[in-house]
Amino acid sequence: MTLGSKERTGARAVMEVLLAEGVELVFGYPGGAVLPLYDELARTPIRHVLVRQEQNAVHAASGYARTSGKTGVCLATSGPGATNLVTGIASAYMDSVPVVIFTGQVPTRMVGSDAFQETDITGITIPITKHNYLVKDVEELPRIAKEAFYIASTGRPGPVLIDIPKDVALALCRASLPERVELRGYKPTYQGHPGQLRALARLLGEAERPLIFAGGGVLASRAEDYLRQLAEKLQVPVVTSLTGLGAFPEDNPLALGMVGLHGKPCANHALMECDLLVGLGVRFDDRVTGALEKFAPRARIAHLDIDPAEIGKNVRVDLPLVGDISCILQELLPLVAPASHGPWLQRIKELRNLYPLTYGRGGEVRPQWVMERLGEMTRGQAIIATDVGQHQMWAALYYGYTEPRSFVSSCGLGTMGYGLPAAAGAALARRDKQVWLITGDGSFQMSMAELGTAMEQGLPLKILLFNNQSLAMVRQLQHFYYDRQYTAIEFTGNPDFVRLAECYGAEGLRITRQEEVVPVLARAMGNDRLTLIECVISPEEMVYPMVPEGAGLDEMLLPE
């Protein structure tokens, strides 16, 4: 069944799909090959956000999608416009974020001729997109655009790219918008296998030391309420991945926080002592497992994920279960009986006491202490976007996330420069929330031109910039693995970040002493302006805990 057909340009047909999909915002950067789409976009009520570089359009769409639960959309031209998108697309792919990307392309008669600003963006992005298209026939454009939104947002979410040659965008199209999408080779499994569900219920009933490991799949399927019901019904402690922060409220007595390379000590020890590990929407990536041969040595492992390719990829699995986490947990809850696991919870209490999360006190401004105060002052209810570096880990460990979709970061690819555009996308998606960007001077300088975008959009972002005038996470790696040979990590030409903010018309503040932290944070929280706080810290500050290469999760390095 199709909607009514009429003759219009391919570009207009794309806009019809965007409107039908409820798209309100498009992040992009124009250029010659994509102008037909921009010309039609201007005739719609869809708002366009002009970024300063195409990579940031994908990051902004990612931040928008992760905090709104909708599909993000971005637009760029051919050649360098398209290749600038690549890191953003890879970041979205690694974190399973639904984004639809439209790129302009040279006219079809010139494809393959090395024309000006021609590049094979579909070939380049095959490994980092869930699917991509080069549209050669305008009559296929409505169907392809509709399919792109369907593929991006269903099953395991991910980025989908549509490359549209300029003549295709300008050609007349009579094809109607399809009402539904039917793809013969794409049928995600949502419901769990009944036999495997019963087997999981039996494992949970038999386990004496069960542990739930929640990842981004919980948030993608909106399963956080079912996760809380399951954990509380069975009295099972919960650890999370970096992507899964916010999937389980950290003020719940069963919450142990993040696990892995820089995971909380009690979370890592609990994982090594559990006898049943239930992974929900996780990848068991290398930053979580540490040495694979030492991972969860006493546990049977149940792995639940909507992507069957993830199950058994990195760790041995005793019970696989393919499906949507929300669907599976709804089906599982009636199959399990309430439990108490008293001795196990007593052991968890001992682990908390034996291995507290600690850091050095006194003297200089401690970034860990700053993050704790920010968590208290916002009651864990702000949206926290981060860049990548030491600050990302301090934000993960010390803020205290209590709400789903409140943590936005490049978790899988680890893309520096992600934070500011993603925070802008989050602020556009959630006007009801205060959005904080936690960043470092290295990451911030990779995308700080987006201050202009944030000011144009009137976004009251709060930026907490930890300035140690160095790439301190790299310094930390050189400290432990390269005999303290500190190379290529110092910045000697940083700008005055406070004055930089003021140049954009934002408020700039600075923290150099611990007693300034609370009043400066309060001042930023109390205004409705974009505010940048430069917090000066020592380049010698480390991120602890840290699991050395080749070690197990219970062999962490802790602060002296």
Side-chain angles (χ1 to χ4, degrees):
M1 184 175 180
T2 60
L3 302 174
S5 65
K6 57 184 179 181
E7 192 171 72
R8 72 286 199 213
T9 66
R12 181 62 202 174
V14 170
M15 298 306 134
E16 290 175 1
V17 173
L18 297 187
L19 291 169
E21 294 293 325
V23 174
E24 300 170 338
L25 276 173
V26 171
F27 302 89
Y29 202 103
V34 80
L35 284 183
L37 289 176
Y38 268 92
D39 190 56
E40 287 294 346
L41 181 64
R43 305 173 199 276
T44 74
I46 299 170
R47 180 176 173 184
H48 178 262
V49 178
L50 178 62
V51 296
R52 278 12 184 207
Q53 204 254 29
E54 291 86 349
Q55 181 184 138
N56 298 327
V58 194
H59 293 333
S62 169
Y64 175 86
R66 294 170 87 147
T67 51
S68 70
K70 303 175 182 176
T71 298
V73 180
C74 61
L75 185 56
T77 192
S78 62
T83 54
N84 278 345
L85 295 168
V86 170
T87 299
I89 295 172
S91 301
Y93 183 75
M94 289 289 284
D95 289 342
S96 304
V97 182
V99 180
V100 173
I101 306 111
F102 294 91
T103 50
Q105 183 56 279
V106 299
T108 50
R109 71 180 186 284
M110 301 169 71
V111 171
S113 68
D114 292 337
F116 176 68
Q117 292 196 333
E118 182 199 357
T119 193
D120 178 12
I121 192 61
T122 51
I124 290 170
T125 58
I126 284 174
I128 55 171
T129 51
K130 192 174 176 184
H131 196 59
N132 68 22
Y133 301 88
L134 170 60
V135 186
K136 297 179 180 178
D137 182 349
V138 69
E139 300 296 345
E140 295 184 349
L141 194 46
R143 172 186 61 79
I144 287 173
K146 183 80 174 177
E147 284 179 5
F149 280 89
Y150 178 72
I151 294 171
S153 61
T154 55
R156 179 178 180 172
V160 178
L161 181 143
I162 306 175
D163 196 27
I164 307 175
K166 189 173 183 178
D167 58 322
V168 173
L170 292 170
L172 293 177
C173 172
R174 292 191 59 81
S176 302
L177 302 188
E179 194 173 68
R180 291 188 299 272
V181 174
E182 292 291 338
L183 295 170
R184 187 180 304 172
Y186 178 71
K187 304 288 183 186
T189 299
Y190 288 92
Q191 304 299 322
H193 186 280
Q196 294 297 85
L197 273 166
R198 288 193 295 272
L200 177 58
R202 280 197 301 273
L203 284 181
L204 285 165
E206 295 167 0
E208 296 180 353
R209 300 186 305 278
L211 184 69
I212 293 174
F213 175 27
V218 174
L219 297 167
S221 66
R222 294 183 175 272
E224 54 271 5
D225 285 342
Y226 301 116
L227 167 60
R228 182 185 52 76
Q229 291 178 44
L230 181 70
E232 292 181 345
K233 184 175 184 180
L234 296 178
Q235 288 297 290
V236 177
V238 178
V239 299
T240 68
S241 67
L242 181 62
T243 315
L245 288 172
F248 193 75
E250 293 190 34
D251 55 357
N252 188 300
L254 294 169
L256 299 183
M258 188 176 73
V259 72
L261 170 64
H262 294 298
K264 291 185 176 178
C266 61
N268 282 359
H269 279 283
L271 192 146
M272 298 298 280
E273 294 189 16
C274 71
D275 66 357
L276 173 65
L277 181 63
V278 181
L280 303 178
V282 292
R283 296 190 293 120
F284 291 103
D285 72 276
D286 57 299
R287 281 167 64 100
V288 161
T289 62
L292 274 175
E293 66 276 13
K294 299 179 180 178
F295 180 71
R298 301 174 180 86
R300 289 180 288 183
I301 298 177
H303 191 178
L304 287 59
D305 201 283
I306 198 165
D307 185 354
E310 286 295 340
I311 296 179
K313 186 175 79 175
N314 294 326
V315 300
R316 61 179 169 79
V317 173
D318 300 285
L319 191 146
L321 185 46
V322 177
D324 175 77
I325 301 300
S326 184
C327 293
I328 290 175
L329 295 187
Q330 287 183 67
E331 294 161 339
L332 180 64
L333 276 166
L335 303 179
V336 296
S340 61
H341 295 113
W344 177 226
L345 294 185
Q346 180 58 37
R347 176 59 181 161
I348 294 293
K349 185 177 179 182
E350 292 171 3
L351 291 175
R352 289 185 197 271
N353 293 331
L354 284 170
Y355 305 106
L357 184 63
T358 59
Y359 54 89
R361 307 280 175 155
E364 301 158 330
V365 177
R366 298 288 183 176
Q368 304 91 335
W369 192 84
V370 177
M371 287 308 307
E372 287 178 336
R373 300 292 80 72
L374 182 61
E376 291 170 359
M377 294 172 71
T378 60
R379 293 179 292 177
Q381 295 177 352
I383 290 175
I384 302 295
T386 83
D387 266 303
V388 173
Q390 288 183 317
H391 63 273
Q392 182 191 39
M393 293 299 114
W394 294 322
L397 290 169
Y398 292 95
Y399 179 74
Y401 298 87
T402 61
E403 295 186 357
R405 284 166 287 284
S406 59
F407 179 75
V408 180
S409 190
S410 176
C411 303
L413 196 66
T415 303
M416 295 175 66
Y418 175 86
L420 181 53
L428 286 161
R430 296 296 306 271
R431 293 281 190 176
D432 59 320
K433 288 284 189 180
Q434 194 166 77
V435 178
W436 281 79
L437 165 64
I438 312 301
T439 186
D441 53 312
S443 281
F444 186 69
Q445 290 183 85
M446 286 196 171
S447 59
M448 63 186 182
E450 297 302 331
L451 283 172
T453 306
M455 288 300 296
E456 284 174 356
Q457 299 299 321
L459 303 179
L461 287 178
K462 313 303 176 188
I463 301 172
L464 178 57
L465 189 161
F466 290 112
N467 184 6
N468 48 23
Q469 298 188 331
S470 67
L471 298 171
M473 186 60 99
V474 179
R475 184 185 188 280
Q476 183 165 336
L477 295 174
Q478 292 172 341
H479 176 92
F480 285 109
Y481 301 125
Y482 296 91
D483 296 326
R484 305 186 185 190
Q485 176 84 8
Y486 303 127
T487 305
I489 56 165
E490 292 185 4
F491 291 119
T492 58
N494 275 355
D496 181 325
F497 291 107
V498 171
R499 291 179 62 190
L500 176 73
E502 292 169 350
C503 286
Y504 277 98
E507 181 164 13
L509 303 169
R510 182 174 287 117
I511 294 172
T512 59
R513 294 177 296 148
Q514 186 155 301
E515 56 266 33
E516 296 170 338
V517 171
V518 171
V520 170
L521 292 178
R523 177 170 169 176
M525 290 175 63
N527 70 33
D528 58 358
R529 301 175 60 197
L530 194 158
T531 303
L532 184 150
I533 304 169
E534 179 191 28
C535 185
V536 179
I537 62 172
S538 167
E540 297 180 0
E541 192 68 64
M542 297 280 192
V543 175
Y544 291 109
M546 174 178 168
V547 178
E549 290 180 5
L553 294 182
D554 54 357
E555 299 173 296
M556 293 164 279
L557 300 178
L558 299 172
E560 297 177 356

